[in-house]
Amino acid sequence: MENQLKDKIVQWALEQFESLGYTLKNSQSENILDTPWSYLLKFETSQGYIYLKHTPDMFAIESKVIKILDEQFDASVVEIIACDTELNCFLMKDAGITLRELLKQSFDEALLFRAIEQVTALQDAISEHVDVFLDIGVPD
């Protein structure tokens, strides 16, 4: 059953690419993450890398949270280009190298502290607006 669902999700992504005007440069996706609770595939397109993320029901709210952080709090988050709430998946643009990858290459304490400060500032900014997240089903 899981392979059938994954095939359906990938087919959905391919349809989204076509409708959004993306052309695949490679017919194969790259498996970035595959855990019991989610997976992440990378596609090379005419407009850069696009990632397909699938999550289980209990985490399916992730794309909504990301959109709220972007639209209402101007947070520096990935750009989501398509979502399917029934399949619990979404497509997002490449956001560049991750902090984890940077720190693995060369640990930079100042960079880590700046990242922590940014996350703390975001938490402070949204703390008075927790109802926005509760309203979409984020657990309290």
Side-chain angles (χ1 to χ4, degrees):
M1 178 68 172
E2 184 59 34
N3 283 339
Q4 289 177 339
L5 177 59
K6 192 170 190 176
D7 290 345
K8 188 174 182 178
I9 290 168
V10 168
Q11 184 58 44
W12 170 82
L14 297 175
E15 291 167 4
Q16 294 304 305
F17 290 143
E18 186 174 326
S19 72
L20 295 169
Y22 290 83
T23 304
L24 289 177
K25 288 189 169 186
N26 185 339
S27 61
Q28 291 289 352
S29 62
E30 181 182 341
N31 189 10
I32 302 298
L33 176 72
D34 193 356
T35 67
W37 55 88
S38 71
Y39 60 84
L40 183 68
L41 302 176
K42 180 169 90 171
F43 294 86
E44 186 175 7
T45 76
S46 57
Q47 298 178 38
Y49 292 114
I50 302 294
Y51 295 85
L52 168 62
K53 185 165 188 181
H54 173 260
T55 61
D57 288 340
M58 66 186 291
F59 297 118
I61 200 159
E62 181 178 357
S63 63
K64 288 181 183 179
V65 171
I66 291 170
K67 284 187 172 192
I68 288 172
L69 290 172
D70 176 39
E71 295 168 1
Q72 295 185 28
F73 299 99
D74 197 31
S76 181
V77 293
V78 297
E79 182 180 347
I80 295 177
I81 59 172
C83 298
D84 188 309
T85 55
E86 291 179 19
L87 294 174
N88 296 339
C89 62
F90 59 95
L91 292 171
M92 59 187 155
K93 289 186 175 183
D94 185 14
I97 191 166
T98 66
L99 178 61
R100 179 180 296 156
E101 291 171 7
L102 278 174
L103 294 175
K104 280 183 180 179
Q105 291 173 6
S106 174
F107 185 77
D108 181 344
E109 186 176 288
L111 177 62
L112 178 60
F113 287 139
R114 280 197 312 269
I116 292 169
E117 288 171 355
Q118 287 177 351
V119 170
T120 303
L122 177 59
Q123 288 174 329
D124 286 344
I126 66 175
S127 65
E128 293 184 23
H129 306 279
V130 72
D131 57 314
V132 171
F133 297 98
L134 295 174
D135 290 347
I136 64 165
V138 173
D140 187 358

